[in-house]
Amino acid sequence: MPSADRPPSRRAFLDAAGVTVAAGLLAGCSGDSARSDRPVDPTPSAPPTPTPVAVTGRHQAGVTLPRSAQPHLLALVADLGETVPPGPILAELGETIQTLAAGSDPRLLGLSPGDVTVTVGVGPRLVQAVGATLPGATDLPGFSRERVDSRERGGDLLIQICAGDALLPPLVAAALLDQAGDRVQERWRQFGRRGVEVPVAEDRTAPRNLLGFIDGIVGPHTDAEQERDLWLAGPPAVAGGTLAVLRRMEIDLTRFAALSVAEQEAVFGRRRASGEPLSGGGVDSAPGLNAKTPEGRYLVPVDAHVRRANPTVVGVGHMLRRSYSIDTPAPGLLFVSFQNDLRTFTATLSRMDTSDALLPFTTTTASATFLILPGYDPQRPLGSTLFG
């Protein structure tokens, strides 16, 4: 973070010099009319200090806290050795996460942890070993438009690292993998970033995605909605956790960009600039799925994404959805959703599979689901309610 005692940077010096030269040229042309009584400050202002996020509590950080997700994410998927017991390694990871978030771990190399969050989940194989009927014991089925290598399907362990500083996720990942040692084998990892945040409600924002549309408008945002659709109420071993789905998708940007704006909006069912439903209302308004033109045409097309994925139409709860733009291994999105019933995702995607105007522009190249473990603290280690 810039210091008030630090000399101006070369960029700041050049900026200030440019202002001085421009003022001199204007003075030469128009005399005193170009003078300004306001001094030019060549020192760049320091960025705001990120607010630390509490690590311990009923829920893990990185799902609903912070309220607006950090712009940078690293999702790391790994396997545990066949004979490695999950309990001890999860407890160690939880302790390491606490030291990293406190800034007391030397593996941060002097960087401030800022608003970093680490969220840990376990895959179906580990959950099934505890109980075949537990939430999280069921894997995702296959869907259409997938091209997923076996190494990038499933996994035993998810480590989701989010931060406002893009330098932190790889450092945190390296520290956690170092802590795990050869007990963990990495499968794949994906960096992602959120686009510019756009106001969608009085106290809420959502980012634009790689296709230019506002993403994540609908979801369980209030405490009551989150208790209903997001957090697991039981059994006790998983209470306070949730279920995560990760899907990495390539997007045919060239073909989508070739559509007119009206055609792009018909794909989503929303206005690209404002995020408002094509049926009218504000950006936070529910799409009017029965609204028609005087000629009898639906204002929200029958294959529009907001219609096909609408939770009321599908008959499921709301997902807390996060999309992160990616540019490797190909341009696209890393889709992350949190829900307390895996059917919320599978039923939605099954309905989209039959007729969703957005899906033909996508190809899924990685897919996994995880039980996000309940929250923890020094007296109740990470994973202890399930593997203790």
mmCIF file of all heavy atoms in Angstrom, residues 89 92-97 99 105 107 173-184:
data_model
loop_
_atom_site.group_PDB
_atom_site.id
_atom_site.type_symbol
_atom_site.label_atom_id
_atom_site.label_comp_id
_atom_site.label_asym_id
_atom_site.label_seq_id
_atom_site.Cartn_x
_atom_site.Cartn_y
_atom_site.Cartn_z
ATOM 1 N N ILE A 89 -6.232 -33.539 8.449
ATOM 2 C CA ILE A 89 -5.749 -32.577 7.465
ATOM 3 C C ILE A 89 -6.683 -31.373 7.376
ATOM 4 O O ILE A 89 -6.237 -30.232 7.227
ATOM 5 C CB ILE A 89 -5.544 -33.253 6.091
ATOM 6 C CG1 ILE A 89 -4.817 -32.284 5.152
ATOM 7 C CG2 ILE A 89 -6.862 -33.684 5.470
ATOM 8 C CD1 ILE A 89 -4.371 -32.919 3.874
ATOM 9 N N GLU A 92 -5.899 -29.116 10.292
ATOM 10 C CA GLU A 92 -4.668 -28.364 10.030
ATOM 11 C C GLU A 92 -4.915 -27.212 9.061
ATOM 12 O O GLU A 92 -4.406 -26.102 9.250
ATOM 13 C CB GLU A 92 -3.607 -29.296 9.447
ATOM 14 C CG GLU A 92 -2.981 -30.239 10.441
ATOM 15 C CD GLU A 92 -1.914 -31.107 9.768
ATOM 16 O OE1 GLU A 92 -1.211 -30.590 8.864
ATOM 17 O OE2 GLU A 92 -1.800 -32.296 10.120
ATOM 18 N N LEU A 93 -5.686 -27.492 8.011
ATOM 19 C CA LEU A 93 -5.983 -26.437 7.040
ATOM 20 C C LEU A 93 -6.745 -25.294 7.703
ATOM 21 O O LEU A 93 -6.485 -24.116 7.437
ATOM 22 C CB LEU A 93 -6.777 -27.006 5.870
ATOM 23 C CG LEU A 93 -6.029 -27.944 4.927
ATOM 24 C CD1 LEU A 93 -6.968 -28.488 3.857
ATOM 25 C CD2 LEU A 93 -4.851 -27.244 4.269
ATOM 26 N N GLY A 94 -7.693 -25.634 8.587
ATOM 27 C CA GLY A 94 -8.439 -24.588 9.284
ATOM 28 C C GLY A 94 -7.537 -23.720 10.143
ATOM 29 O O GLY A 94 -7.681 -22.489 10.175
ATOM 30 N N GLU A 95 -6.589 -24.340 10.845
ATOM 31 C CA GLU A 95 -5.641 -23.572 11.652
ATOM 32 C C GLU A 95 -4.776 -22.663 10.773
ATOM 33 O O GLU A 95 -4.520 -21.503 11.104
ATOM 34 C CB GLU A 95 -4.763 -24.519 12.464
ATOM 35 C CG GLU A 95 -5.504 -25.284 13.542
ATOM 36 C CD GLU A 95 -4.637 -26.320 14.221
ATOM 37 O OE1 GLU A 95 -3.454 -26.441 13.817
ATOM 38 O OE2 GLU A 95 -5.120 -27.009 15.149
ATOM 39 N N THR A 96 -4.330 -23.208 9.625
ATOM 40 C CA THR A 96 -3.494 -22.415 8.728
ATOM 41 C C THR A 96 -4.279 -21.245 8.139
ATOM 42 O O THR A 96 -3.746 -20.143 7.988
ATOM 43 C CB THR A 96 -2.939 -23.311 7.599
ATOM 44 O OG1 THR A 96 -2.240 -24.408 8.169
ATOM 45 C CG2 THR A 96 -1.998 -22.528 6.689
ATOM 46 N N ILE A 97 -5.545 -21.477 7.798
ATOM 47 C CA ILE A 97 -6.381 -20.397 7.272
ATOM 48 C C ILE A 97 -6.474 -19.268 8.290
ATOM 49 O O ILE A 97 -6.406 -18.077 7.932
ATOM 50 C CB ILE A 97 -7.781 -20.934 6.910
ATOM 51 C CG1 ILE A 97 -7.686 -21.862 5.695
ATOM 52 C CG2 ILE A 97 -8.744 -19.786 6.619
ATOM 53 C CD1 ILE A 97 -8.938 -22.686 5.457
ATOM 54 N N THR A 99 -4.253 -18.415 10.597
ATOM 55 C CA THR A 99 -2.998 -17.667 10.668
ATOM 56 C C THR A 99 -2.794 -16.815 9.420
ATOM 57 O O THR A 99 -2.269 -15.703 9.498
ATOM 58 C CB THR A 99 -1.796 -18.603 10.867
ATOM 59 O OG1 THR A 99 -1.663 -19.470 9.734
ATOM 60 C CG2 THR A 99 -1.966 -19.449 12.123
ATOM 61 N N ASP A 105 1.258 -15.512 9.125
ATOM 62 C CA ASP A 105 1.936 -16.617 8.450
ATOM 63 C C ASP A 105 3.017 -16.044 7.532
ATOM 64 O O ASP A 105 2.736 -15.245 6.642
ATOM 65 C CB ASP A 105 0.934 -17.430 7.628
ATOM 66 C CG ASP A 105 1.486 -18.776 7.186
ATOM 67 O OD1 ASP A 105 2.600 -18.791 6.613
ATOM 68 O OD2 ASP A 105 0.813 -19.797 7.399
ATOM 69 N N ARG A 107 4.434 -17.207 5.116
ATOM 70 C CA ARG A 107 4.294 -17.591 3.705
ATOM 71 C C ARG A 107 3.492 -16.570 2.896
ATOM 72 O O ARG A 107 3.411 -16.679 1.671
ATOM 73 C CB ARG A 107 3.676 -18.983 3.619
ATOM 74 C CG ARG A 107 4.625 -20.093 4.084
ATOM 75 C CD ARG A 107 3.954 -21.438 4.232
ATOM 76 N NE ARG A 107 3.031 -21.473 5.370
ATOM 77 C CZ ARG A 107 2.508 -22.590 5.867
ATOM 78 N NH1 ARG A 107 2.842 -23.758 5.348
ATOM 79 N NH2 ARG A 107 1.680 -22.551 6.901
ATOM 80 N N ALA A 173 -2.867 -20.252 -1.656
ATOM 81 C CA ALA A 173 -2.937 -21.624 -2.168
ATOM 82 C C ALA A 173 -1.616 -22.352 -1.941
ATOM 83 O O ALA A 173 -1.603 -23.521 -1.523
ATOM 84 C CB ALA A 173 -3.292 -21.613 -3.651
ATOM 85 N N ALA A 174 -0.510 -21.685 -2.197
ATOM 86 C CA ALA A 174 0.801 -22.312 -2.003
ATOM 87 C C ALA A 174 1.017 -22.672 -0.535
ATOM 88 O O ALA A 174 1.552 -23.746 -0.218
ATOM 89 C CB ALA A 174 1.903 -21.374 -2.492
ATOM 90 N N ALA A 175 0.589 -21.791 0.367
ATOM 91 C CA ALA A 175 0.753 -22.067 1.793
ATOM 92 C C ALA A 175 -0.079 -23.264 2.226
ATOM 93 O O ALA A 175 0.380 -24.127 2.995
ATOM 94 C CB ALA A 175 0.375 -20.827 2.603
ATOM 95 N N LEU A 176 -1.314 -23.350 1.734
ATOM 96 C CA LEU A 176 -2.186 -24.455 2.125
ATOM 97 C C LEU A 176 -1.719 -25.784 1.532
ATOM 98 O O LEU A 176 -1.769 -26.827 2.204
ATOM 99 C CB LEU A 176 -3.624 -24.154 1.697
ATOM 100 C CG LEU A 176 -4.275 -22.974 2.433
ATOM 101 C CD1 LEU A 176 -5.613 -22.626 1.819
ATOM 102 C CD2 LEU A 176 -4.434 -23.278 3.923
ATOM 103 N N LEU A 177 -1.249 -25.760 0.290
ATOM 104 C CA LEU A 177 -0.713 -26.987 -0.307
ATOM 105 C C LEU A 177 0.572 -27.410 0.393
ATOM 106 O O LEU A 177 0.844 -28.602 0.557
ATOM 107 C CB LEU A 177 -0.478 -26.782 -1.801
ATOM 108 C CG LEU A 177 -1.736 -26.678 -2.664
ATOM 109 C CD1 LEU A 177 -1.360 -26.358 -4.112
ATOM 110 C CD2 LEU A 177 -2.547 -27.964 -2.606
ATOM 111 N N ASP A 178 1.377 -26.434 0.804
ATOM 112 C CA ASP A 178 2.593 -26.744 1.555
ATOM 113 C C ASP A 178 2.232 -27.410 2.882
ATOM 114 O O ASP A 178 2.883 -28.375 3.310
ATOM 115 C CB ASP A 178 3.382 -25.461 1.798
ATOM 116 C CG ASP A 178 4.602 -25.691 2.664
ATOM 117 O OD1 ASP A 178 5.473 -26.490 2.282
ATOM 118 O OD2 ASP A 178 4.689 -25.065 3.749
ATOM 119 N N GLN A 179 1.170 -26.913 3.533
ATOM 120 C CA GLN A 179 0.731 -27.485 4.793
ATOM 121 C C GLN A 179 0.249 -28.928 4.604
ATOM 122 O O GLN A 179 0.518 -29.804 5.421
ATOM 123 C CB GLN A 179 -0.412 -26.639 5.375
ATOM 124 C CG GLN A 179 -0.870 -27.066 6.748
ATOM 125 C CD GLN A 179 0.197 -26.807 7.803
ATOM 126 O OE1 GLN A 179 0.880 -25.788 7.759
ATOM 127 N NE2 GLN A 179 0.369 -27.746 8.734
ATOM 128 N N ALA A 180 -0.447 -29.162 3.492
ATOM 129 C CA ALA A 180 -0.997 -30.500 3.238
ATOM 130 C C ALA A 180 0.071 -31.492 2.811
ATOM 131 O O ALA A 180 -0.054 -32.693 3.063
ATOM 132 C CB ALA A 180 -2.080 -30.413 2.171
ATOM 133 N N GLY A 181 1.117 -31.004 2.158
ATOM 134 C CA GLY A 181 2.198 -31.885 1.720
ATOM 135 C C GLY A 181 1.727 -32.903 0.704
ATOM 136 O O GLY A 181 0.810 -32.650 -0.086
ATOM 137 N N ASP A 182 2.308 -34.101 0.752
ATOM 138 C CA ASP A 182 1.981 -35.118 -0.245
ATOM 139 C C ASP A 182 0.693 -35.871 0.073
ATOM 140 O O ASP A 182 0.333 -36.817 -0.624
ATOM 141 C CB ASP A 182 3.141 -36.108 -0.414
ATOM 142 C CG ASP A 182 3.514 -36.821 0.886
ATOM 143 O OD1 ASP A 182 2.769 -36.660 1.889
ATOM 144 O OD2 ASP A 182 4.527 -37.536 0.888
ATOM 145 N N ARG A 183 -0.033 -35.425 1.097
ATOM 146 C CA ARG A 183 -1.335 -36.032 1.387
ATOM 147 C C ARG A 183 -2.406 -35.569 0.399
ATOM 148 O O ARG A 183 -3.473 -36.159 0.323
ATOM 149 C CB ARG A 183 -1.767 -35.687 2.819
ATOM 150 C CG ARG A 183 -0.884 -36.272 3.900
ATOM 151 C CD ARG A 183 -1.254 -35.728 5.267
ATOM 152 N NE ARG A 183 -0.966 -34.301 5.386
ATOM 153 C CZ ARG A 183 -1.276 -33.557 6.455
ATOM 154 N NH1 ARG A 183 -1.917 -34.126 7.481
ATOM 155 N NH2 ARG A 183 -0.962 -32.280 6.492
ATOM 156 N N VAL A 184 -2.109 -34.514 -0.334
ATOM 157 C CA VAL A 184 -3.062 -33.931 -1.279
ATOM 158 C C VAL A 184 -2.421 -33.842 -2.651
ATOM 159 O O VAL A 184 -1.247 -33.459 -2.770
ATOM 160 C CB VAL A 184 -3.510 -32.523 -0.808
ATOM 161 C CG1 VAL A 184 -4.189 -31.763 -1.924
ATOM 162 C CG2 VAL A 184 -4.441 -32.637 0.383
#
